[in-house]
Amino acid sequence: MRHHVLPLLFLCACAAPVPVLASEAQCFQSKNHLVVFHDRIDEVGSDFIVRPPARGKIACVFDPTPDDRRIGAPGDPLHFLTLLGDYLILTRSTGPDGDLVIYDLSGASDEPVIDVPADDDVVVTEELTYWERTSDATSENCPQYEAYTSDGLGSVIAEERVFDPATGDVTETGNARCSATQ
């Protein structure tokens, strides 16, 4: 039995390495836009192309053309969250604390309409509810401040916001909380 195991292990150790292929593309479509993206191989984040919606079967391949709108640049760790009407909702992060980034795909600007530090618990319904990190927390405005800092964490005050994709408006709900940061 032992003689059969050793040759097998020897063959496995000598096998040629399997090349790492580029990540497969993912596609999401609304009535006005097709978003195709793929994760980068050598760095954090994804690259995105936006084009008119496909008719019929979608060929989900990340193959940019000159007519495509490009979103994402090397070094910008963007991650897909959702496509909500004319808005591409992304997060930007290399760790636990990140930003909420929203692009208006119906507009001509290549700049996001929202790019704010935000907690990672985003709720998507017909609207988008998120917690924007607005100010530093202190022992006076954060009941958890001592617990967070004694555990080596930071803390911020986050205010609840609601983004309405029908209007592009952001409203404040008046709710605030203390959030831990790293």
Side-chain angles (χ1 to χ4, degrees):
M1 181 85 161
R2 189 175 240 169
H3 296 289
H4 295 291
V5 173
L6 290 175
L8 181 60
L9 290 175
F10 180 74
L11 286 174
C12 291
C14 294
V18 176
V20 177
L21 302 175
S23 66
E24 291 188 27
Q26 296 182 48
C27 295
F28 293 88
Q29 183 164 294
S30 67
K31 72 176 193 174
N32 296 324
H33 311 283
L34 171 63
V35 175
V36 182
F37 70 96
H38 72 136
D39 295 332
R40 298 183 189 123
I41 298 299
D42 296 331
E43 62 181 78
V44 177
S46 300
D47 292 307
F48 300 83
I49 53 177
V50 180
R51 48 178 67 139
R55 300 199 195 294
K57 189 172 181 177
I58 297 171
C60 190
V61 177
F62 191 87
D63 187 18
T65 68
D67 295 333
D68 290 334
R69 182 175 180 182
R70 295 287 307 256
I71 295 175
D76 194 4
L78 295 173
H79 307 277
F80 180 83
L81 188 59
T82 192
L83 181 59
L84 190 59
D86 285 328
Y87 294 93
L88 177 59
I89 316 296
L90 308 172
T91 58
R92 177 187 296 116
S93 177
T94 58
D97 300 329
D99 301 329
L100 178 69
V101 182
I102 301 177
Y103 285 88
D104 180 356
L105 301 180
S106 68
S109 175
D110 286 333
E111 296 299 316
V113 294
I114 294 175
D115 190 346
V116 297
D119 290 353
D120 62 359
D121 53 335
V122 175
V123 177
V124 180
T125 58
E126 298 84 31
E127 300 174 318
L128 183 96
T129 303
Y130 63 98
W131 293 85
E132 181 178 342
R133 296 176 171 176
T134 57
S135 60
D136 291 332
T138 65
S139 57
E140 289 80 37
N141 64 6
C142 174
Q144 303 92 345
Y145 183 79
E146 297 301 326
Y148 291 160
T149 56
S150 69
D151 287 338
L153 301 172
S155 54
V156 296
I157 300 300
E159 298 177 358
E160 188 178 41
R161 309 272 197 248
V162 178
F163 174 73
D164 182 355
T167 63
D169 294 333
V170 174
T171 57
E172 299 176 10
T173 66
N175 296 327
R177 67 182 186 192
C178 185
S179 297
T181 62
Q182 288 190 6

